[in-house]
Amino acid sequence: VRWRNRSAAEGLALLTESMQIARQHDLKEDVCRGYINIIGAHMDDNAYPSAERVLAEALAFADQSEQLAFLRFMYANQATALVETGQWPAALAAAGRALEGDSVASTALALSAVAKIRVRTGDDAADEILAQLAEEIEGADSLQRLLPVAVVRAEHAWLGGRAQEIPVLVGPAFA
C-alpha cells in the first residue's frame, strides 16, 4: 500500500525491490504478486509497452515455477493489454489461455477482454459473453472483478446508442 502514495517511479522501485527480496528468499507466490502489481501499475498508466515487457518475464517465471493460478491471471492481464493496443487476435489467444482455469478473477478479466473485442467489432456474440460475465461475477464485491465488467458493459451501451443505461450498468461496481 505504501507505494501507492509515492510517485510512479518511486512506487515501481519499491515494487521491484519487494519482488527482488521475494526472489532471494524463493517466495514464488510473492514474486508473482510483485509482477502482477508492476504490470498493473504500468497498465494503470497506459504504459502498455512496459507492461508487455514485464508480462513476458512474468509469464516465463510463473510457468517455470508452476504458479498456475498466477499464470492464468497474467494471461488475462496480457489479454487486456493486447485489446487496448489493438492486437485482437493475440488478445483472444491470451484470453483463451487464461480461461483454462477456474479462477473468478482470471475468468472475469479474460472474458472482459473477449467481450470488448466482440462489442467493438459488432459481433452478435457480445451479448452472450456479457451474460456469461454477469453470471461469473454474481455476488462478487471486489472492484478488481466488478470494474472490468462495468467498463465493457458501459462501452457496449455507448456503442449501441444506449448511453442512458450506463449509470445502472456500472452502479454495482461503485456501490
Side-chain angles (χ1 to χ4, degrees), residues 34-175:
Y35 274 126
I36 287 170
N37 287 328
I38 291 168
I39 292 161
H42 286 307
M43 290 175 62
D44 286 348
D45 290 338
N46 296 322
Y48 295 108
S50 297
E52 288 178 22
R53 279 191 300 278
V54 176
L55 269 162
E57 184 180 320
L59 288 164
F61 178 85
D63 187 38
Q64 181 181 15
S65 60
E66 298 181 358
Q67 297 294 314
L68 299 181
F70 286 107
L71 181 66
R72 290 184 189 106
F73 191 67
M74 289 172 187
Y75 277 128
N77 276 276
Q78 183 182 45
T80 301
L82 292 167
V83 167
E84 297 307 322
T85 57
Q87 301 174 66
W88 294 352
L92 291 172
R97 289 188 289 277
L99 292 169
E100 291 173 0
D102 60 357
S103 163
V104 173
S106 298
T107 300
L109 192 56
L111 284 176
S112 293
V114 172
K116 277 186 181 183
I117 294 169
R118 300 298 183 231
V119 164
R120 291 175 183 178
T121 59
D123 189 324
D124 292 335
D127 290 328
E128 181 182 324
I129 293 169
L130 287 169
Q132 185 180 355
L133 262 171
E135 188 177 302
E136 190 67 38
I137 64 160
E138 188 167 333
D141 60 359
S142 165
L143 192 58
Q144 179 183 23
R145 290 173 181 80
L146 297 171
L147 189 59
V149 178
V151 168
V152 74
R153 284 177 170 167
E155 187 171 342
H156 187 243
W158 179 265
L159 293 173
R162 302 181 322 278
Q164 72 280 2
E165 295 176 16
I166 293 173
V168 173
L169 294 170
V170 302
F174 299 100

